[in-house]
Amino acid sequence: MRETPYLVVDELVAEGNLATMAAHARALGVALRPHAKTHKTVELAHRQLEHGAVGLTVATVGEAEVLADAGLDDLFIAYPLWAVGPRADRLRALAGRVRLRVGADSVDGVRMLARAVHAGRDSAAPLAIAVEVDSGHHRSGMPPEDAAEVAVAALDAGLAVDGVFTFPGHSYGLEAAGPAARDEAAALEAARDALTAAGIPCPVVSGGSTPSVRSADGSVLTELRPGVYVFGDAQQWELSATTSESISLTARATVVSRRDGVAVLDAGSKILGADRAPYATGYGRLLDHPEARISALSEHHATVAFPTGTTIPALGAELRVVPNHVCNAVNLVDELIVERDGIEVGAWSVTARGRNT
């Protein structure tokens, strides 16, 4: 008997999610390059490739190093890296052993990347960039119509140019997925056209988030990069981007206190994470009690409010908790316990946990 709290993956549900997204990408006629920052595990990375992914997306050099060590050889760091000092050395070494693409959204950025991988004539390593454009999330990314400036600078600096990409992060909102997907297509089309008008081929037009992926425009995009879809979480559930039946990762937690309408669990922010988006109705949900909400969260306590008239689970009862943001929850543990048909069958090491540089 395991001591709670811990994170559990329902292997069969996860496999179903992998197959469903792979089928969607095939039907859309685009490549699938899932974001591994969600699961941070070698096992799921390989399973995504087995389902037809062309490679993996990551957020950091550290995540890329973990996957490269596990034999994955086509990686996209979808982030405007500032690679100086030790990170520059690591990037150059990584580019020397895998097919590597890195995001960039400035002329200074691509010049810095070129210096990093061309530090010495004998140590030069091949590196491709994708120009990041802002499609409405207003985080990183340049105006789409100016994308050619970065692409030209990259070519002048001796880098290859794969194409353009964006993250439609404003899809994380109620009724926001469709409009965000349309913004994504418009921005990527403008960026692609800017490159081709400058005489630069643009074979990769990359986008996608888990909420917006169902509305992605296959006439513009050539590549999708969803991440959360493999597990699902309470955010996706509330946005109707997944259903309770498709949520494959939960925290197993024990009821340690109870009173009328309330149960307190031993799974706090140190295993669930503390994210609560503006649209979220709580700090997490219970898979088997869909009307309940985590109304308060501290480090080791989750206070769950149940609807009036509901029978409150008994002291000692183990419940399945759905974190609001699964990416954060996974990064808080060393391993994911794997179950099949409710029976523990193994554990996956969260190998890229904490690889934030």
Side-chain angles (χ1 to χ4, degrees), residues 139-216:
R139 193 172 63 181
S140 52
M142 66 185 310
E145 60 274 13
D146 297 332
E149 295 177 13
V150 171
V152 168
L155 293 173
D156 288 346
L159 303 178
V161 175
D162 277 359
V164 297
F165 80 104
T166 193
F167 173 59
H170 55 311
S171 62
Y172 280 81
L174 298 175
E175 306 298 328
R182 291 190 289 273
D183 291 344
E184 170 187 68
L188 288 174
E189 185 173 32
R192 179 199 66 195
D193 291 349
L195 262 65
T196 56
I200 302 170
C202 188
V204 174
V205 181
S206 179
S209 66
T210 295
S212 66
V213 72
R214 293 292 169 186
S215 300

Side-chain angles (χ1 to χ4, degrees), residues 9-281:
V9 176
D10 186 316
E11 184 180 27
L12 296 180
V13 175
E15 273 292 320
N17 293 340
L18 294 178
T20 298
M21 187 59 72
H24 173 64
R26 287 193 297 270
L28 205 59
V30 302
L32 181 62
R33 187 182 289 273
H35 211 311
K37 74 178 180 66
T38 295
H39 58 74
K40 292 180 171 281
T41 67
V42 168
E43 289 84 356
L44 280 170
H46 281 296
R47 290 190 185 204
Q48 287 171 321
L49 292 180
E50 290 166 5
H51 280 277
V54 297
L56 273 293
T57 303
V58 295
T60 68
V61 176
E63 290 177 350
E65 288 168 332
V66 167
L67 296 186
D69 289 344
L72 284 84
D73 60 3
D74 193 331
L75 303 172
F76 176 24
I77 305 176
Y79 194 90
L81 289 178
W82 194 255
V84 296
R87 185 182 284 123
D89 297 336
R90 291 163 57 209
L91 184 70
R92 183 169 62 256
L94 185 64
R97 62 190 181 113
V98 302
R99 204 284 175 185
L100 186 64
R101 180 198 305 163
V102 175
D105 69 353
S106 68
V107 171
D108 286 343
V110 294
R111 289 173 177 166
M112 174 275 305
L113 290 171
R115 288 194 297 271
V117 296
H118 299 153
R121 285 310 233 177
D122 295 333
S123 59
L127 181 69
I129 66 107
V131 182
E132 183 179 11
V133 298
D134 179 10
S135 58
H137 188 39
H138 306 317
R139 193 172 63 181
S140 52
M142 66 185 310
E145 60 274 13
D146 297 332
E149 295 177 13
V150 171
V152 168
L155 293 173
D156 288 346
L159 303 178
V161 175
D162 277 359
V164 297
F165 80 104
T166 193
F167 173 59
H170 55 311
S171 62
Y172 280 81
L174 298 175
E175 306 298 328
R182 291 190 289 273
D183 291 344
E184 170 187 68
L188 288 174
E189 185 173 32
R192 179 199 66 195
D193 291 349
L195 262 65
T196 56
I200 302 170
C202 188
V204 174
V205 181
S206 179
S209 66
T210 295
S212 66
V213 72
R214 293 292 169 186
S215 300
D217 188 341
S219 70
V220 176
L221 277 70
T222 67
E223 180 179 272
L224 293 176
R225 307 187 322 277
V228 178
Y229 76 95
V230 63
F231 292 145
D233 57 21
Q235 290 185 153
Q236 305 296 333
W237 193 0
E238 297 215 347
L239 295 174
S240 298
T242 191
T243 64
S244 59
E245 293 80 11
S246 295
I247 291 173
S248 67
L249 183 143
T250 55
R252 197 64 49 79
T254 299
V255 178
V256 295
S257 181
R258 66 195 293 271
R259 58 184 182 274
D260 287 347
V262 170
V264 179
L265 313 181
D266 64 354
S269 62
K270 286 188 172 178
I271 193 161
L272 298 176
D275 274 15
R276 182 174 180 177
Y279 56 81
T281 56

